[in-house]
């Protein structure tokens, strides 16, 4: 946990508590952390999942890699330090949403165990649900949604996860979704069924 900088006096304990906000919204907050290769299906599943949650009356927020990098994190590159800073800010934002009682869906490649543990340490172990969106590299490469695999193979794009930068599969995810065997609808439904008991207000 980061220590509080000098001359900073947080007032967390004087703010309206999360439990009060959850009661108002009639739901419990959690942060789903979707990790997987580019093209594995994180964004597509997040969109479908959010639509299901909305239909069922849940308030949600999707935080998605390219969206965040086009706004809040548009000053960050893909160096090791900046990738870490990218995830630190995302996890802090995620935590703010969770503290508001919002079900938060994070879609980030987050390729290493270390970086996912870092996110978990910020969001908090009880609220962090790691979901491995798993498709073989060959399938992701065939899909090549953004044309990035082609660029990486040609050498025009360096340090691309799965090609010349490693992806460490989660060892103990809360859930694993194999998107080469499932449809988008099935994938989103499995995550919804998994999270429902955890976010239902009782
Ligand atoms: P990511 O966000 O992980 O980079 P995208 O969601 O942008 O991946 O792209 C995944 C692609 O794979 C989409 O074109 C989507 O239609 C396709 N796809 C095929 N099957 C699935 C599935 N079960 N879940 C998610 N995406 C799938």
């Amino acid at each position: 946990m980061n220590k509080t900088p000098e001359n900073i006096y947080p007032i967390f304990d004087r703010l309206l508590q999360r439990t009060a906000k959850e009661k108002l919204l009639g739901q419990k907050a959690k942060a789903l952390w979707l990790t997987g290769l580019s093209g594995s299906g994180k964004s597509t599943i997040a969109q479908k999942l959010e639509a299901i949650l909305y239909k069922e009356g849940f308030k949600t927020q999707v935080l998605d890699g390219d969206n965040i990098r086009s706004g809040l994190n548009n000053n960050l590159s893909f160096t090791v330090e900046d990738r870490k800073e990218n995830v630190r800010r995302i996890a802090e934002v995620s935590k703010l949403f969770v503290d508001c009682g919002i079900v938060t869906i994070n879609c980030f490649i987050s390729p290493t165990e270390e970086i996912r543990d870092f996110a978990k340490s910020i969001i908090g172990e009880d609220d962090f649900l790691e979901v491995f969106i798993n498709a073989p590299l060959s399938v992701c490469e065939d899909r090549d949604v953004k044309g990035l695999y082609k660029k990486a193979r040609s050498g025009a794009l360096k340090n691309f996860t799965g090609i010349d930068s490693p992806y460490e599969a989660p060892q103990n995810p809360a859930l694993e979704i194999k998107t080469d065997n499932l449809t988008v609808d099935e994938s989103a439904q499995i995550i919804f069924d998994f999270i429902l008991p955890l976010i239902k207000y009782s």
Side-chain angles (χ1 to χ4, degrees):
M1 197 47 88
N2 288 339
K3 68 178 195 318
T4 306
E6 207 181 342
N7 302 326
I8 299 293
Y9 299 91
I11 55 154
F12 295 117
D13 56 339
R14 282 179 264 158
L15 297 175
L16 190 64
Q17 292 301 297
R18 167 176 164 185
T19 46
K21 295 176 184 178
E22 288 180 326
K23 189 174 177 197
L24 184 70
L25 295 172
Q27 66 182 38
K28 297 265 177 68
K30 289 285 171 202
L32 286 162
W33 193 273
L34 276 52
T35 170
L37 291 169
S38 177
S40 59
K42 301 179 293 299
S43 303
T44 310
I45 291 172
Q47 288 162 46
K48 183 70 203 177
L49 176 63
E50 187 174 45
I52 300 174
L53 286 163
Y54 175 77
K55 196 162 151 271
E56 296 295 327
F58 291 97
K59 287 89 189 166
T60 53
Q61 178 65 47
V62 174
L63 300 176
D64 188 271
D66 284 359
N67 285 2
I68 298 287
R69 277 193 178 270
S70 70
L72 175 68
N73 289 358
N74 67 6
N75 62 332
L76 299 180
S77 70
F78 288 86
T79 61
V80 173
E81 300 82 61
D82 275 7
R83 279 176 193 253
K84 190 168 180 195
E85 177 60 10
N86 186 44
V87 166
R88 189 189 69 77
R89 290 186 200 171
I90 291 156
E92 290 285 359
V93 171
S94 223
K95 187 175 163 57
L96 287 175
F97 276 111
V98 168
D99 284 343
C100 288
I102 303 292
V103 178
T104 310
I105 307 168
N106 299 276
C107 315
F108 300 97
I109 298 174
S110 40
T112 63
E113 202 74 47
E114 188 189 348
I115 207 107
R116 295 187 295 266
D117 279 350
F118 183 44
K120 179 161 73 176
S121 73
I122 292 169
I123 292 171
E125 200 157 338
D126 290 348
D127 294 320
F128 181 92
L129 300 167
E130 187 177 68
V131 181
F132 181 20
I133 306 297
N134 189 5
L137 177 64
S138 57
V139 171
C140 297
E141 199 166 353
D142 279 349
R143 289 175 182 164
D144 208 3
V145 189
K146 303 171 191 161
L148 297 178
Y149 284 98
K150 202 168 165 216
K151 280 191 189 168
R153 287 288 184 201
S154 74
L157 183 58
K158 298 279 180 219
N159 299 323
F160 192 66
T161 306
I163 305 297
D164 54 355
S165 181
Y167 179 78
E168 297 170 10
Q171 293 306 301
N172 195 19
L175 202 59
E176 178 176 355
I177 305 291
K178 295 190 170 181
T179 66
D180 54 331
N181 296 323
L182 296 165
T183 65
V184 175
D185 285 0
E186 287 167 342
S187 304
Q189 190 65 44
I190 292 168
I191 303 177
F192 175 74
D193 292 344
F194 163 76
I195 200 176
L196 182 60
L198 304 174
I199 58 175
K200 219 171 166 177
Y201 197 81
S202 53

